[in-house]
Structures are given as structure tokens and as C-alpha cells.
Amino acid sequence: MSKRLRCAVALLACLVLGGCGSVNAQPVGPVYTWDMTVTVGESSTWYQAAERFADTLERESGGRMHLRVFTGEQLSAGDPAAGVEQLMNGDKEFSYNSTIIYAGIDPRFGAINAPFLYSGYDEADRALRGGAVPAYEKLSAEIGVKMLGFGESGFRQLTNNVRPVSEPADLEGIKTRIPGMGMLTDFFRGLGANPTTMNFSEVFTALQQGTIEGQENPMDVISSSGLAEVQRYMTVWNYVYDPLVLGMNQELFDSLDPGDQKIVQDAAMDANAFQVRTNRGLEQEQIAEQAALIETTELSDVQLERFRWAVRPLYEEYEQVWGPDMIRAVSSES
């Protein structure tokens, strides 16, 4: 190879690699640094999916999109409802939050969380494939949130320190922490429990100190938060299906060019699919692990029917709150 040709090849290599003199590779397009919160800790599937989302955004944008993930609702002092308001206002860009938390802002979000609405994941999936996803996209847009699909917490279970719970009467008098949602307050109060609301970040200490006696959450949250250390009994009753909204500030989404919107949407679809798959894959394993640590009761169909019968008046009351459109949207038969 001639000297001139060698020099030309060397120059070309420098330009390609961006390593000669003042030639530097720069991202093509606007550069973003965004924040995202999840309610629970780093061992949860929520966090794992959020980290996957961040990695995909970084890779597919060529390094232009940087996403910082915060656990435990750190940006809102542990308050998930305040965290959703931050998302709405643009004080942060992304979050994973349950529809239960959104229901504190607009009670129509709680339609999908009606107690004993679904008998299992097959029914929940039929509702999501039917009208639930577009209905929740519309609701979210009304409050300034771009819904980038659903993850899930799964089905919510009950733990307490008083007694095993296998029928409605067993809830009598148990001081139970619930999220701030009127329907769940009415549900537990109607069955004789003593429901109280508090941020999840306070639950472990409150159980440890005896301020509360029980709580309800999906298995991923119960397991990843180590609640077996401060609880004696668990009831597997799948009483509420709990999807997670992967939300983005609507104004921010609208400000992106179509190419960047697609990067965000595709990354969100991948993260949600990963989160749901991982959550469901771990659920039975987590139930078995917790059952080895605390006394566990799995309710039979006959036992569950007693709870379904007891909850009928609640449905009659909340049908007016949800409205016919949302009732149809979350139906597994639609």
C-alpha cells in the first residue's frame, strides 16, 4: 500500500471513529434527561422493567434519551398520589403507578379494580384486549398523562397479624392498611374491618410497631418488601386485579417528533411485556416462598363465592361512579 493510500485510509478511519483532533461523534437530534419513579424497591419487577425501559431508550435513541429511575416514590416523599400529580404537571416525565392511585384523582380509574371482578388472568386479559386499554388511554389523556400501555402488579392478597381470613366474618375489627381509594375503604368497612390509608413507604414500620395489623398488596410487593418479617397470616384470594399505568407527561410526548415518539412507544411496549411476563412467572414461586414463612390460606371457589355475594351492594353503589362506558370497558365479556 502506498504512503498516500495509507494516509487516506488513516484519515477515513479517524473520521469514522471520531477520534482525530477536534472531530467528535455527537448524537444526531435533541438530547433528553428524564426521570421516572416506581412505588416499590429495586428487587421488584416494576424496577426491573423500568431499568429495561431506560436501557432500550438509550440504545434505540443512539444515546440521546437518558432515563433516571427512582424507587420508593423518592421524588414525592413516598406519596404515589403526589407522584401522579407530578407526572400530570410535568415535574417528572415517567412513572409506573397502579390504577388504584389514579382512582384517587378520578374514581373512574377504579373500575378495573372492582373486588372479585375477575376470577383469574384469562378474564383480566380478555378485558384488556377488549375495551379496557383504549378506555384508560382516554381517561389518562384527560388528566394530562400519555398512557404507554399497562404493566401489572397482578392480583392483590391479604396479610395480617390477628387471625387467618377465610370468610367475610374473619375480617371483623382488623386494622388494615389500604391505598387511598374510596371503593376499597367501603369494601373493607362493609365486611367489618377497620381500614386505614397510608403511603406504602410507611407500611413496614407501621406493621412492626403495631399501628396497623394487616395490609393488602400483590405478591411482588409483599415479597420484595419483606412483609413476612412483620406478618403472621396471608390469604390468597385474588380479590383485586391491579394493572400498572406506564405513564408519560402528555405535553412532553406531544413535543417529541414522530420518530422519537415511536422510540418511546416501542420501548414502553417491550418493558410492559417484560414486566407482565416476569411478574406472572414469579407469582406462584413467591406464594410458595411466603407460605414457608407465614401461615397461608388459599381460598376455594366456595369460599370466594361468599365474598362475591357480600360485595354485591358495593357494585350497585359504584356503577354510578364508574359510568356505563367504563363498566363495559372492563368487562371480560365485552
Side-chain angles (χ1 to χ4, degrees):
M1 183 182 294
S2 69
K3 182 177 179 181
R4 179 178 296 179
L5 183 56
R6 287 198 302 271
C7 290
V9 170
L11 177 60
L12 179 60
C14 285
L15 293 173
V16 170
L17 296 174
C20 290
S22 61
V23 179
N24 294 308
Q26 297 292 332
V28 178
V31 176
Y32 303 100
T33 299
W34 295 324
D35 292 337
M36 177 175 180
T37 58
V38 299
T39 304
V40 287
E42 291 187 5
S43 61
S44 69
T45 60
W46 305 28
Y47 178 78
Q48 294 168 26
E51 283 291 290
R52 183 183 178 103
F53 183 47
D55 291 344
T56 305
L57 289 175
E58 183 105 13
R59 182 181 67 251
E60 296 302 317
S61 68
R64 293 185 298 106
M65 297 177 181
H66 308 278
L67 182 65
R68 302 178 296 195
V69 181
F70 297 86
T71 58
E73 300 290 353
Q74 292 178 50
L75 301 185
S76 57
D79 185 344
V84 171
E85 291 175 353
Q86 288 179 329
L87 184 67
M88 294 162 55
N89 297 334
D91 294 328
K92 70 180 177 191
E93 289 77 25
F94 296 89
S95 75
Y96 255 145
N97 282 109
S98 166
T99 50
I100 290 174
I101 304 304
Y102 280 84
I105 297 167
D106 183 335
R108 290 178 296 169
F109 276 93
I112 202 167
N113 305 117
F116 305 105
L117 177 61
Y118 307 123
S119 63
Y121 285 116
D122 287 345
E123 288 190 3
D125 286 344
R126 283 201 298 274
L128 295 181
R129 289 193 301 266
V133 169
Y136 277 86
E137 288 173 342
K138 182 175 181 294
L139 275 187
S140 298
E142 289 178 11
I143 61 170
V145 173
K146 172 66 177 179
M147 180 176 135
L148 298 170
F150 276 136
E152 68 176 24
S153 278
F155 282 95
R156 299 177 77 93
Q157 318 300 351
L158 177 74
T159 64
N160 82 95
N161 281 324
V162 179
R163 67 180 75 91
V165 173
S166 59
E167 61 181 45
D170 293 332
L171 283 166
E172 183 68 35
I174 299 178
K175 191 169 186 180
T176 307
R177 179 269 176 185
I178 61 171
M181 181 182 181
M183 178 178 61
L184 295 186
T185 299
D186 292 342
F187 169 75
F188 278 94
R189 188 172 289 153
L191 296 182
N194 181 9
T196 185
T197 61
M198 66 174 61
N199 292 334
F200 181 72
S201 58
E202 304 169 14
V203 168
F204 188 95
T205 301
L207 289 168
Q208 195 172 41
Q209 296 175 347
T211 308
I212 56 175
E213 298 166 317
Q215 64 83 51
E216 53 73 63
N217 258 302
M219 284 310 307
D220 187 32
V221 177
I222 292 170
S223 177
S224 65
S225 303
L227 294 184
E229 297 178 31
V230 289
Q231 294 281 258
R232 293 176 59 190
Y233 307 104
M234 181 170 74
T235 300
V236 177
W237 60 345
N238 291 351
Y239 93 111
V240 161
Y241 177 67
D242 190 5
L244 297 175
V245 173
L246 177 45
M248 179 180 184
N249 177 264
Q250 182 73 59
E251 288 188 10
L252 172 61
F253 180 82
D254 291 342
S255 73
L256 301 180
D257 66 47
D260 282 351
Q261 288 180 349
K262 187 175 189 307
I263 290 173
V264 170
Q265 289 174 310
D266 289 349
M269 183 183 301
D270 170 76
N272 287 331
F274 167 81
Q275 194 277 327
V276 170
R277 182 172 64 250
T278 306
N279 182 71
R280 294 187 186 183
L282 288 173
E283 188 174 60
Q284 290 305 312
E285 178 183 326
Q286 290 168 337
I287 289 173
E289 288 174 350
Q290 299 305 301
L293 300 172
I294 55 180
E295 184 177 329
T296 299
T297 303
E298 294 197 42
L299 299 193
S300 67
D301 289 341
V302 172
Q303 291 170 317
L304 287 170
E305 190 57 35
R306 296 182 187 132
F307 283 96
R308 292 191 185 100
W309 180 264
V311 83
R312 285 188 175 188
L314 187 72
Y315 273 73
E316 295 173 3
E317 176 184 352
Y318 274 87
E319 283 176 354
Q320 300 178 36
V321 175
W322 301 325
D325 290 344
M326 289 306 297
I327 292 172
R328 283 192 298 271
V330 302
S331 171
S332 61
E333 299 175 357
S334 60

